[in-house]
Amino acid sequence: QGGWVYIVSNKPRGTLYVGVTSDQVGAFSNIAKGRPMALPNNTTEMYVFAERHELINQVIQREKLIKHWLRAWKIELIQNLNPQWRDLYDSFI
């Protein structure tokens, strides 16, 4: 079973959190209900990037890679796929 690598932010170019899930709807719903996985003290959470992989080991490997990137590289990744920093939540549910 595969899964998703995603990036959540509290605002455009704000705090970034990289995570993984095999339960897309459950994880994305938690964010939408105000239960972020690791964004303390923020009032809004937006899915600004999500990437599907067929194998969970690929998901974990990609997450580890992105987590070690410079912040500028993460922002560029988001900008390339989501230049308006739209909340992609509705795209996944």
Side-chain angles (χ1 to χ4, degrees):
Q1 180 182 6
W4 293 84
V5 177
Y6 59 85
I7 300 176
V8 176
S9 182
N10 61 333
K11 62 183 177 182
R13 295 181 176 266
T15 302
L16 300 177
Y17 171 75
V18 180
V20 299
T21 184
S22 61
D23 177 10
Q24 173 191 12
V25 174
F28 294 176
S29 293
N30 281 340
I31 297 293
K33 292 175 186 170
R35 288 180 282 208
M37 293 172 194
L39 287 176
N41 302 321
N42 59 332
T43 56
T44 58
E45 298 84 28
M46 306 181 307
Y47 276 95
V48 293
F49 174 82
E51 182 178 88
R52 172 100 170 106
H53 294 272
E54 293 300 316
L55 301 173
I56 197 66
N57 63 330
Q58 293 171 332
V59 175
I60 293 166
Q61 182 178 11
R62 179 72 166 156
E63 177 205 27
K64 288 179 181 179
L65 179 70
I66 293 172
K67 279 187 172 185
H68 286 94
W69 283 5
L70 296 173
R71 177 178 170 77
W73 298 353
K74 294 173 192 171
I75 289 173
E76 184 177 342
L77 178 68
I78 296 165
Q79 292 277 129
N80 285 338
L81 295 174
N82 186 5
Q84 290 81 34
W85 287 70
R86 293 179 302 114
D87 186 355
L88 302 176
Y89 174 77
D90 288 336
S91 302
F92 300 110
I93 302 303

